[in-house]
């Protein structure tokens, strides 16, 4: 597995705050992102990195015993989709064993060097790519060259602002590569248009938007996003009733923080390794992990949230907590062990119930705007 060394620069502590644990450190993480945290955060990251190495050894041992690509074999679907589903009559003990083993392993983290292959397999992206000619992506990119649409204009506007502190993503090569992926997909699915190896990234984006996440999360009216926020609010009331009641009494709308969490899949909220660990589970088990993680962040700070009385303090606590969750094992253990089980079917039923309400509200909003235009 790759190892990374960090050059840590400590900022000068403010007067009266000379405790070493309060010093701020700036360093580049395993994925090239600049991170700022205190010494305790650095120590946690070092522990996490050592656990990653240990977990890597587990994966290598399984590859030695089961074969290099054992996780690419047929398995029972974990994300509610049709990929890899095997009938009960044809179910073999080895398939069941591999499915359980893989789920347990993925929750503990996929080694960075294996992520591209594992994600492509468990998400269904490899299967999706196999349904089109091998030249599909290259032909799509050639077909879109030089074309201008509202989506390409928005992409060109947003690219310079996409992770500007990352050396490769902010380079000419990195932005060109990212642009090809985003423009290509905007032509594949014009309804989505644009919302923030290269071909592998394209197919991961395709399977994410078409199979893993709820429909219409990134369309113009964001109806899918509105549905997810309503589902999350209901789940918070069921899983964390004291928090939900307290926040409702304050007049706090959980979508103030959770909308960005769900739209950006925590990439703007959690540290990079923690985000990727969430995505490990997301691609294998489906979008239910987003609810698990969001609920966990609230639940982890239950006592603090119940004490405060100001909306601004709620936002500050949740954002600060999320930004410093450098230990992905702590978050994911809490998300699955403390929050309890939530099946994909349960969430799907809740979405269908909320979808009717959301579409009625959006329709009413459109009618009201049309009425105002006519009056004007």
């Amino acid at each position: 597995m790759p190892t990374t060394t960090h050059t840590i620069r400590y900022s000068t502590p403010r007067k009266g705050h000379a405790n070493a644990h309060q010093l701020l450190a700036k360093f580049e993480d395993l994925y090239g992102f600049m991170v700022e945290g205190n010494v305790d955060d650095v120590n946690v990251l070092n522990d996490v990195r050592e656990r990653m190495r240990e977990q890597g050894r587990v994966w290598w041992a399984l590859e030695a015993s089961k074969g290099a690509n054992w996780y690419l074999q047929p398995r029972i679907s974990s994300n509610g989709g049709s990929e890899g589903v095997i009938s009960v009559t044809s179910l073999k003990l080895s398939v069941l064993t591999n499915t359980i083993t893989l789920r347990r392993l993925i929750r503990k983290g996929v080694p960075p060097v294996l992520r591209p292959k594992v994600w492509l397999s468990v998400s269904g992206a490899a299967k999706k790519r196999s349904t089109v000619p091998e030249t599909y992506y290259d032909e799509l990119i050639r077909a879109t060259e030089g074309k201008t649409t509202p989506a390409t204009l928005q992409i060109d506007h947003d690219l310079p602002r996409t992770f500007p502190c990352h050396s490769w993503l902010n380079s000419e090569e990195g932005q060109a590569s990212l642009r090809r992926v985003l423009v290509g997909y905007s032509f594949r699915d014009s309804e989505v248009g644009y919302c923030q190896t290269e071909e592998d990234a394209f197919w991961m984006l395709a399977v994410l938007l078409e199979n893993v996440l709820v429909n219409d999360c990134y369309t113009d009216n964001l109806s899918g996003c509105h549905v997810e926020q309503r589902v999350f609010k209901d789940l918070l009331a069921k899983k964390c009733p004291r928090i939900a009641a307290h926040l409702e009494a304050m007049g706090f709308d959980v979508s103030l923080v959770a909308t960005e969490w769900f739209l950006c899949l925590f990439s703007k909220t959690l540290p990079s390794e923690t985000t990727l660990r969430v995505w490990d589970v997301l691609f294998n088990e489906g979008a239910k992990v987003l609810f698990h993680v969001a609920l966990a962040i609230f639940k982890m700070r239950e006592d603090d949230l119940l004490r405060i009385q100001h909306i601004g303090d709620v936002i500050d606590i949740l954002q600060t907590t999320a930004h410093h969750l450098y230990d992905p094992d702590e978050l994911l253990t809490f998300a699955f062990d403390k929050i309890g089980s939530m099946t994909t079917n349960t969430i799907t039923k809740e979405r269908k119930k909320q979808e009717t309400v959301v579409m009625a509200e959006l329709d009413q909003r459109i009618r009201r705007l049309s009425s105002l235009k006519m009056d004007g």
Side-chain angles (χ1 to χ4, degrees):
M1 292 186 63
T3 57
T4 303
T5 58
H6 302 295
T7 301
I8 300 177
R9 303 185 300 277
Y10 294 100
S11 63
T12 304
R14 292 176 296 170
K15 186 176 180 180
H17 292 268
N19 188 320
H21 292 277
Q22 294 172 324
L23 294 173
L24 292 179
K26 288 186 178 181
F27 53 94
E28 188 177 277
D29 70 10
L30 185 63
Y31 306 97
F33 293 97
M34 291 305 299
V35 179
E36 180 174 289
N38 59 35
V39 177
D40 289 335
D41 295 330
V42 175
N43 291 335
V44 169
L45 276 174
N46 287 334
D47 290 340
V48 168
R49 202 148 290 115
E50 181 56 38
R51 271 181 263 145
M52 286 172 58
R53 284 191 282 268
E54 289 291 335
Q55 182 68 0
R57 286 190 273 271
V58 173
W59 281 81
W60 311 140
L62 280 168
E63 290 212 339
S65 63
K66 291 177 174 286
N69 296 319
W70 67 273
Y71 44 82
L72 305 183
Q73 302 305 312
R75 62 193 180 86
I76 304 169
S77 178
S78 300
N79 60 17
S82 60
E83 305 298 342
V85 174
I86 299 174
S87 67
V88 175
T89 55
S90 64
L91 182 62
K92 295 181 180 179
L93 183 60
S94 60
V95 173
L96 178 61
T97 301
N98 279 356
T99 299
I100 294 172
T101 299
L102 187 60
R103 178 174 174 171
R104 185 175 67 249
L105 276 175
I106 287 176
R107 285 194 179 185
K108 288 182 175 294
V110 180
V113 296
L114 290 181
R115 273 195 177 118
K117 190 162 60 172
V118 173
W119 282 7
L120 279 167
S121 173
V122 301
S123 68
K127 180 71 174 178
K128 184 179 287 289
R129 181 167 61 184
S130 71
T131 63
V132 298
E134 289 185 4
T135 57
Y136 176 89
Y137 180 70
D138 290 337
E139 291 175 357
L140 179 64
I141 296 305
R142 283 196 296 272
T144 61
E145 284 180 0
K147 292 188 176 180
T148 301
T149 67
T152 63
L153 292 173
Q154 187 64 48
I155 289 168
D156 290 334
H157 176 70
D158 287 348
L159 272 177
R161 304 182 298 175
T162 304
F163 299 116
C165 295
H166 191 283
S167 58
W168 186 78
L169 287 174
N170 201 38
S171 69
E172 184 176 341
E173 177 190 4
Q175 293 208 354
S177 180
L178 183 56
R179 186 183 190 279
R180 285 191 293 271
V181 171
L182 296 175
V183 169
Y185 191 78
S186 76
F187 278 85
R188 174 181 168 89
D189 188 346
S190 59
E191 287 296 316
V192 170
Y194 165 65
C195 300
Q196 297 179 340
T197 80
E198 185 175 307
E199 185 175 352
D200 287 346
F202 170 85
W203 287 109
M204 288 303 304
L205 180 62
V207 81
L208 182 68
L209 297 180
E210 296 168 16
N211 301 91
V212 178
L213 300 178
V214 68
N215 291 335
D216 299 326
C217 255
Y218 302 97
T219 50
D220 289 341
N221 63 10
L222 297 175
S223 60
C225 179
H226 292 303
V227 169
E228 295 297 73
Q229 292 308 301
R230 284 182 167 273
V231 172
F232 176 65
K233 186 177 181 179
D234 282 356
L235 289 173
L236 186 68
K238 293 174 183 176
K239 297 289 185 177
C240 310
R242 295 174 65 208
I243 296 176
H246 180 67
L247 296 180
E248 186 173 357
M250 289 174 56
F252 179 79
D253 185 348
V254 295
S255 66
L256 287 174
V257 292
T259 297
E260 182 180 86
W261 294 356
F262 281 77
L263 279 177
C264 300
L265 309 181
F266 295 98
S267 64
K268 294 182 66 176
T269 306
L270 298 172
S272 58
E273 176 58 26
T274 305
T275 299
L276 293 176
R277 286 284 301 278
V278 170
W279 291 3
D280 285 344
V281 188
L282 171 68
F283 289 127
N284 188 49
E285 299 185 35
K288 69 174 186 177
V289 69
L290 302 178
F291 294 98
H292 276 277
V293 170
L295 289 168
I297 294 173
F298 275 83
K299 186 69 174 176
M300 291 171 85
R301 299 303 299 272
E302 180 170 16
D303 292 342
D304 293 324
L305 290 172
L306 292 176
R307 278 196 296 267
I308 61 178
Q309 299 298 326
H310 300 289
I311 289 175
D313 292 336
V314 176
I315 296 173
D316 183 60
I317 284 177
L318 293 172
Q319 288 182 339
T320 301
T321 299
H323 290 327
H324 289 271
L325 281 170
Y326 289 102
D327 186 347
D329 290 314
E330 178 188 13
L331 175 62
L332 290 175
T333 298
F334 211 102
F336 290 105
D337 294 350
K338 301 293 185 181
I339 297 303
S341 64
M342 290 186 290
T343 66
T344 299
N345 286 338
T346 299
I347 293 174
T348 299
K349 289 178 182 177
E350 187 65 26
R351 282 171 175 157
K352 289 180 179 178
K353 182 177 76 173
Q354 297 297 346
E355 185 177 344
T356 303
V357 179
V358 167
M359 296 311 295
E361 287 183 350
L362 290 174
D363 183 62
Q364 186 179 24
R365 188 181 304 170
I366 291 172
R367 289 174 183 272
R368 189 163 57 245
L369 289 172
S370 297
S371 177
L372 290 172
K373 288 180 179 178
M374 290 178 63
D375 293 340

